[in-house]
Amino acid sequence: MGSWKGIIDHYRPRLEMDDNAPVISLGEGNTPMILSERLSERTGLEVYLKFEGMNPTGSFKDRGMTMAITKAVANGAKAVVCASTGNTSASAAAYSAKAGILCVVLIPAGNVASGKLAQALVHGAKVVEVRGNFDQAFEITRKLEGPYPIVVVNSTNPHRLLGQKTGAFEICDRLERAPDYHIIPVGNAGNITSYWNGYNEYHADGITDSLPQMFGFQAAGSAPIVLGHPVDQPKTIATAIRIGHPASWDGALRAARESGGEIRSVTDKAILEAYRMIASEGVFAELASSAPVAGLLQLSAQGRLERGKTVVCILTGHGLKDPSWAISGAPKPIQVDAEIDVVAQALGF
Ligand code: AN7
């Protein structure tokens, strides 16, 4: 689609957008859906990886942020704020820069991947590091709106969730049907809620004639929905989903229950293995984005998925956000003198 101009332009009638509002877009959406031959062979399913890391700021957050910032600007806002484990802040910073408004981000000190912090800084956001975790930063953020002239652009902002459902539309448009299974990481649980809304909208309008089973995966050390109670000190190497008090908890449960799916957890070890597995097939997604692949392998090993069916895993963010995990687990590069013979020898020729 050579003329792709972002999700508002493409899906406007489904997004409750005022026709005359100036659209703040960086060309988000229309992300690749990559058939994984290896995962398909291993599981006996047709496995697609929807690579949301290919959005303008490297994560799915851009689908909701184009909406939230467009609406904020239309309503006269001069400043927005979000709490973030990193990707929301990167996206909010970029779209605010595009709109020419102030962006404030509250992030958990020491627990945001360096690439995400770099993005917030380079786009000129006011970065506040909170000595605490995401949930604490989020609680403060919510209390800023109302008393202060600032709009919250976390996924509690309804425009965010409207935008994010376009991921489901793209999948159905591409497959020309709904997938049988949808597997997605769960942190604050906004995205699984949005996808379920999107699938239901297409189904209700008769564009698709079925609905996928929805499987959400939390990291084992940060799995409040699986445990059935909030986690005050969430732990996981997948910092993007290190969230113990998810805002859209009910939405995630509804998606799982209504679709016949489940909210489950995967260990950090399984996440890291999945991260390396998809990288070995050419797809570099961040740790949190590897949770659904770990989840696919778990579900498949337990015989929970019917062979021959179609499954889509949502790879929510790009691996370049946090290259440290890629480097630490790989063999060291060989260093040689700048001589053809030396290079050839080092290569074993
Ligand atoms: C790569 O950026 O919460 O379940 O503040 O960055 O909709 O929260 C990020 C979440 C999955 C979880 N994958 O999505 C934030 C933030 C990646 C993420 C999630 C996030 P939700």
Side-chain angles (χ1 to χ4, degrees), residues 265-288:
S265 65
V266 278
T267 62
D268 279 3
K269 185 165 173 282
I271 289 174
L272 203 49
E273 281 168 10
Y275 170 82
R276 299 208 195 294
M277 189 182 301
I278 50 180
S280 76
E281 205 177 350
V283 180
F284 193 16
E286 68 171 277
L287 286 171

Side-chain angles (χ1 to χ4, degrees), residues 135-149:
D135 300 296
Q136 292 166 302
F138 188 33
E139 208 180 316
I140 297 167
T141 302
R142 294 171 94 154
K143 289 181 183 152
L144 287 173
E145 197 175 43
Y148 301 98

